[in-house]
Amino acid sequence: MSTAVALIGAEGRMGRYCDQLLEDHPDFHIVCRVTSDQDLAAELAQVESGIGLDFTRAGLGREHGRVLLQAGVRPLIGTSGMQPADDLFLHELALESGLGGLVVPNFSLGVWLQQKLSLLAAKHMGQVEIQEEHHIHKTDAPSGTALDTALQLSEALGRPCDQIPIHSVRLPGLYSNQTVLFGAPGQILRLTHETYGQKAFGPGIIAALHYVAQAPPGVQRGIGHALEND
Ligand SMILES: NC(=O)c1ccc[n+]([C@@H]2O[C@H](COP(=O)([O-])OP(=O)(O)OC[C@H]3O[C@@H](n4cnc5c(N)ncnc54)[C@H](OP(=O)(O)O)[C@@H]3O)[C@@H](O)[C@H]2O)c1
């Protein structure tokens, strides 16, 4: 059976990409496309949606997750800017609602692997900084991916997150890159991931939709929940 998806941020770069991605997909179909001039709760009330896929403006994920859960819709939040406290807020609401959901700061397989490799490297090289580079239309800095990478490293290193420096570059010509640099006397290890377009996110978005459709109550963080359950 195909799961109904509410696409929030439908006219943005990621929204338009998801529209194409789900066109003719056997397992998912879009039942509502929400734009910035519409009220999310009112739009959700008009259709039956199983999952709400949010790609809007950094910082809106918590509020949209709340509205989705209160409408009985499972949230899949791809929008940047979700903090651990926002995850927890949605997690508790999801437990009360008996719905599963997921927050995914980056859907690409390569970034997921970069983060896993970074945690391995951090065990041996504790001096680490992150450089993220994005197109000039990106409104938030640092990127949600860089903040998520710093959070994972800070937990692994037992160090406050703000002690992992993040350098943000915004230039024409760039799409989305991230390098995690580890330094030790006489050597540097660079773990670089480069993204050349939205296609990098497609397989992760599909895997996450499959995960969220069946997820147990609660809201988890990270594409690993979807990829490691495959
Ligand atoms: N998780 C990932 O792997 C991943 C990958 C790429 C991007 N992202 C993140 O996803 C978000 C969207 O990225 P993008 O490149 O698609 O940005 P974008 O092109 O700026 O699109 C965002 C869209 O959301 C709309 N919007 C703003 N507020 C809204 C609201 N309350 N309800 C419905 N729509 C609303 C905007 O409309 P207006 O223009 O009218 O304001 C715009 O059409 C960003 O936070 C970005 O950092 C995440």
Side-chain angles (χ1 to χ4, degrees), residues 123-146:
K123 286 186 183 165
H124 306 280
M125 297 174 83
Q127 292 299 306
V128 55
E129 303 204 3
I130 298 169
Q131 173 157 310
E132 55 96 346
E133 307 167 342
H134 281 87
H135 57 85
I136 52 173
H137 302 294
K138 185 166 180 60
T139 51
D140 56 314
S143 71
T145 301

Side-chain angles (χ1 to χ4, degrees), residues 5 10 86 99 129 138 177 193 195 198 208 216 218:
V5 176
D86 301 325
L99 295 169
E129 303 204 3
K138 185 166 180 60
N177 304 327
H193 179 263
T195 311
Q198 281 106 346

Side-chain angles (χ1 to χ4, degrees), residues 8-15 34-38 54-58 60 64 77-80 104-108 135 137-138 140 175 198 201:
I8 309 151
E11 287 183 351
R13 282 177 290 266
M14 288 303 294
V34 186
T35 56
S36 59
D37 54 352
Q38 291 173 315
D54 193 277
F55 277 114
T56 55
R57 184 161 41 78
L60 292 178
H64 287 175
I77 309 294
T79 300
S80 298
V104 182
N106 195 300
F107 283 95
S108 76
H135 57 85
H137 302 294
K138 185 166 180 60
D140 56 314
Y175 180 61
Q198 281 106 346
F201 305 118

